[in-house]
Amino acid sequence: MRIFVITGAGISAESGLGTFRDKDGTGIWARFDPMKLATPEAFARNPSEVHAFYNARRRNLLSAVPNSAHFALARLEEALAERGGSLALVTQNIDDLHDRAGSKEVIHMHGELFKVRCVACATTIPWREDLGLEDQCPSCAQIGSLRPHVVWFGEMPMRMDDIYLALYGADLFVAIGTSGSVYPAAGFVSEARALGVRTCEINLEPSDNASHFDDKRYGKASEVVPAWIEETIATM
Ligand code: BV8
């Protein structure tokens, strides 16, 4: 069995990382305007403000830990591999909680908060402390050329070829903890349906895409995801 899972900020919410659009207005974008902070133009216009935004999130991530939903997905990956199947785990999240929970193959389509990239030499470097204009690229020694290795609005998401390859081969498509409001990620469920793939949404509340899903399970990811995965493994 080949399962395609896409996760969003909701799977990391119970690990203490903010979401973007929670209805109660507590989401990150309710306090910060993405168009002011998560675009190349914003970075060109005011790099220090964008660095401060990502430095705060990087510091927050240092004290966050994976929750039972992340660990359950690592278990699913193992159970599928043992039975000759596969899990394609694609995340919109820039945290490393799936990796820390033991998932071996994670496609970070919007990049990774614990990495930076040099705009001068294009080298990607692991980076866990604050980043600023005074920092020097360890590869080409340029000063002030390092940026967060994340995908901003208007930038091309990463590993799209790998994502579509996994989507076309899937028997089951599952979206976990995402509002289905950002493209191209939000469009994956329609691609899956067009391919005749069964679709399932697991979220706190119906997403913008809810009508596209055959099955829907609502509740906290830390409770609903482990239960769904135990059920899925039991029927393999
Ligand atoms: C692209 C990384 C094209 C950075 C993010 C105008 C100009 C430019 C582009 C556009 C435009 N208009 C439209 C677009 C396209 C744009 C887009 O879709 N915009 C939206 C706003 C309409 N998309 C892009 O720009 C993308 N690139 O189109 O490129 C292109 C083509 C060719 C060549 C070049 C370019 C790139 C988009 C990526 C932007 N980067 N993040 C960072 O993190 O700072 S987006 C960010 O929001 C996240 O990464 C995530 O992907 C996205 C959506 O967030 P979610 O993960 O879904 O989180 P959200 O809070 O919304 O929802 C959480 C859900 O969890 C909720 O439903 C909640 O109920 C639930 N939940 C909460 N708690 C729990 C829970 N569920 C379970 N348990 C809980 N405990």
Side-chain angles (χ1 to χ4, degrees):
M1 183 179 197
R2 290 161 303 181
I3 302 180
F4 180 106
V5 171
I6 176 148
T7 63
I11 199 168
S12 299
E14 291 163 90
S15 295
L17 299 182
T19 62
F20 295 84
R21 291 167 191 82
D22 270 349
K23 302 277 185 280
D24 62 4
T26 55
I28 295 174
W29 301 135
R31 297 200 305 280
F32 298 96
D33 178 351
M35 287 306 158
K36 283 210 182 72
L37 289 161
T39 66
E41 297 76 13
F43 188 60
R45 193 174 51 244
N46 191 340
S48 304
E49 191 184 17
V50 174
H51 277 314
F53 175 54
Y54 286 96
N55 289 343
R57 288 171 70 190
R58 205 177 288 108
R59 271 183 248 129
N60 195 19
L61 180 53
L62 285 170
S63 55
V65 291
N67 64 57
S68 50
H70 297 105
F71 289 111
L73 282 167
R75 231 181 4 266
L76 178 64
E77 181 184 55
E78 209 173 349
L80 282 166
E82 282 164 2
R83 294 160 174 81
S86 65
L87 173 67
L89 177 55
V90 180
T91 186
Q92 300 173 85
N93 302 335
I94 60 175
D95 64 56
D96 65 339
L97 299 182
H98 283 303
D99 314 80
R100 278 199 261 156
S103 290
K104 294 188 183 51
E105 171 62 36
V106 185
I107 299 180
H108 286 273
M109 69 178 289
H110 287 164
E112 298 175 69
L113 189 52
F114 280 156
K115 288 181 182 170
V116 299
R117 186 169 77 239
C118 177
V119 298
C121 69
T123 307
T124 301
I125 305 121
W127 197 278
R128 300 169 74 87
E129 52 266 358
D130 282 4
L131 179 67
L133 290 170
E134 68 295 344
D135 286 305
Q136 182 173 35
C137 172
S139 170
C140 72
Q142 178 90 12
I143 293 181
S145 60
L146 298 173
R147 62 162 276 182
H149 183 56
V150 301
V151 176
W152 284 326
F153 289 99
E155 294 186 322
M156 192 56 165
M158 299 175 184
R159 297 190 57 190
M160 291 300 286
D161 294 347
D162 295 335
I163 291 171
Y164 283 116
L165 210 57
L167 196 53
Y168 294 143
D171 304 303
L172 176 64
F173 175 97
V174 188
I176 301 175
T178 180
S179 62
S181 53
V182 170
Y183 291 84
F188 292 162
V189 62
S190 306
E191 311 255 357
R193 287 183 71 80
L195 292 161
V197 179
R198 196 155 183 72
T199 56
C200 174
E201 167 172 80
I202 300 178
N203 206 49
L204 194 62
E205 61 202 354
S207 70
D208 299 356
N209 277 333
S211 59
H212 290 65
F213 289 92
D214 302 309
D215 298 318
K216 304 158 197 200
R217 297 183 182 218
Y218 297 123
K220 287 185 173 180
S222 65
E223 294 158 14
V224 182
V225 174
W228 170 73
I229 284 174
E230 294 321 315
E231 240 179 77
T232 304
I233 294 177
T235 57
M236 277 187 201

